[in-house]
């Protein structure tokens, strides 16, 4: 499933350019004009990342982030500020307010997309307390507890490690060879059947309810996908 981005920009030309370019890159994009609309959009469908203009018609982007923090005890989605204000104090204000990056206008579109991807790699599925969350599936690496829909799931150490890797790379297809390296840290002399076996074990415990999260990509590998809204 493609990452969902929220673009908050009051300039209609730039808003359409950004939205179209990000969709062509493979993201799902929702675009709004004001800070108030941004707050409503996050409440309705929490995005994976917000591209947020600082100068908005109602209140500025810094205030949007402050209000999002007040609304979300587990932290707001990651934010990339986009603004013509390039003074050092503005950059500091943006990052202090809770932004993950700060890009000034005019900007290079390819660089912006690279920065968005970098933020998503750092933050995908992770919460401030270190938990990994995909849909109603929650993994706590500190306590080694896993729940789905609030119900506890007992996993072996290897099953836990496999699920953690899949959740850390949610939305990314991982080959059997990659999983052998990331979970087992060595290969089995070309025998990758152990991966299929453990994915099967994991599915019985994690995917015994709908929607299914762990998917096989035939001829390629496995992916844990966020449920469709």
């Amino acid at each position: 499933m493609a990452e969902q981005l929220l673009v908050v920009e009051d300039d209609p030309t730039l808003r359409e350019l950004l939205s179209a370019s990000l969709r062509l890159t493979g993201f799902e994009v929702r675009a709004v004009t004001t800070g108030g609309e941004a707050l409503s959009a996050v409440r309705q469908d929490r995005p994976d990342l917000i591209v947020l203009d600082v100068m908005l018609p109602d209140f500025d982007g810094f205030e949007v982030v402050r209000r999002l923090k007040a609304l979300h005890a587990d932290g707001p989605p990651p934010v990339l500020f986009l603004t013509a204000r390039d003074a050092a104090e503005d950059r500091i204000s943006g990052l202090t307010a809770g932004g993950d990056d700060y890009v000034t206008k005019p900007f290079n579109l390819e660089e912006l997309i690279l920065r968005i991807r970098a933020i998503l790699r750092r933050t995908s599925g992770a919460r401030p307390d270190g938990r990994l969350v995909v849909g109603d599936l929650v993994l706590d690496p500190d306590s080694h507890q896993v729940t789905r829909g609030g119900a506890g799931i007992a996993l072996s150490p290897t099953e836990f490690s496999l699920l953690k890797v899949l959740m850390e790379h949610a939305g990314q297809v991982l080959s059997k060879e990659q999983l052998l390296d990331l979970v087992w840290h060595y290969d089995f002399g070309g025998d990758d059947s152990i991966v299929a076996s453990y994915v099967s074990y994991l599915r019985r415990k994690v995917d015994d309810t709908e929607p299914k999260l762990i998917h096989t990509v035939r001829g390629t590998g496995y992916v844990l996908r966020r449920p469709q809204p």
Side-chain angles (χ1 to χ4, degrees):
M1 179 179 175
E3 290 97 341
Q4 299 178 34
L5 306 185
L6 175 65
V7 172
V8 188
E9 169 61 61
D10 64 328
D11 182 306
T13 302
L14 182 55
R15 186 173 62 250
E16 290 304 314
L17 172 64
L18 271 174
S19 300
S21 299
L22 291 170
R23 288 189 184 103
L24 285 172
T25 307
F27 296 111
E28 293 183 7
V29 180
R30 179 175 179 179
V32 298
T33 304
T34 68
E37 290 174 346
L39 295 176
S40 297
V42 174
R43 281 195 295 267
Q44 293 168 10
D45 184 17
R46 183 181 173 110
D48 295 299
L49 181 141
I50 305 171
V51 179
L52 180 60
D53 188 16
V54 172
M55 301 299 293
L56 296 170
D58 45 2
F59 44 87
D60 67 28
F62 302 154
E63 180 62 22
V64 171
V65 174
R66 293 188 192 99
R67 296 191 187 190
L68 285 173
K69 283 184 174 180
L71 290 171
H72 297 275
D74 57 351
V79 173
L80 183 147
F81 284 116
L82 190 63
T83 179
R85 291 163 54 171
D86 59 357
E89 56 266 28
D90 290 321
R91 184 181 297 271
I92 293 170
S93 296
L95 298 177
T96 303
D100 295 85
D101 204 345
Y102 193 103
V103 175
T104 56
K105 303 173 184 176
F107 56 87
N108 179 283
L109 189 57
E110 291 183 2
E111 180 186 354
L112 177 68
I113 292 169
L114 287 174
R115 291 192 181 208
I116 288 172
R117 293 199 183 281
I119 295 171
L120 289 170
R121 282 196 300 271
R122 293 198 305 268
T123 62
S124 179
R127 298 295 176 90
D129 58 8
R131 294 179 304 152
L132 297 171
V133 181
V134 177
D136 61 351
L137 178 65
V138 181
L139 181 149
D140 188 330
D142 293 328
S143 66
H144 272 240
Q145 292 182 332
V146 175
T147 62
R148 181 156 189 201
I153 300 173
L155 298 178
S156 72
T158 301
E159 290 167 345
F160 184 90
S161 296
L162 176 58
L163 180 61
K164 183 172 181 286
V165 166
L166 289 170
M167 292 182 74
E168 286 172 338
H169 297 81
Q172 177 184 344
V173 179
L174 297 173
S175 68
K176 291 180 179 179
E177 291 76 14
Q178 286 174 307
L179 289 170
L180 280 173
D181 180 53
L182 292 168
V183 178
W184 286 269
H185 305 296
Y186 61 93
D187 64 45
F188 283 74
D191 181 8
D192 56 17
S193 61
I194 191 171
V195 177
S197 297
Y198 269 91
V199 168
S200 177
Y201 302 154
L202 200 56
R203 278 179 166 148
R204 293 173 196 168
K205 297 180 178 182
V206 171
D207 266 355
D208 62 346
T209 185
E210 294 292 340
K212 305 301 184 187
L213 300 178
I214 302 171
H215 302 271
T216 300
V217 180
R218 192 174 300 278
T220 304
Y222 302 97
V223 58
L224 190 143
R225 292 196 178 106
R226 295 178 177 85
Q228 295 282 352

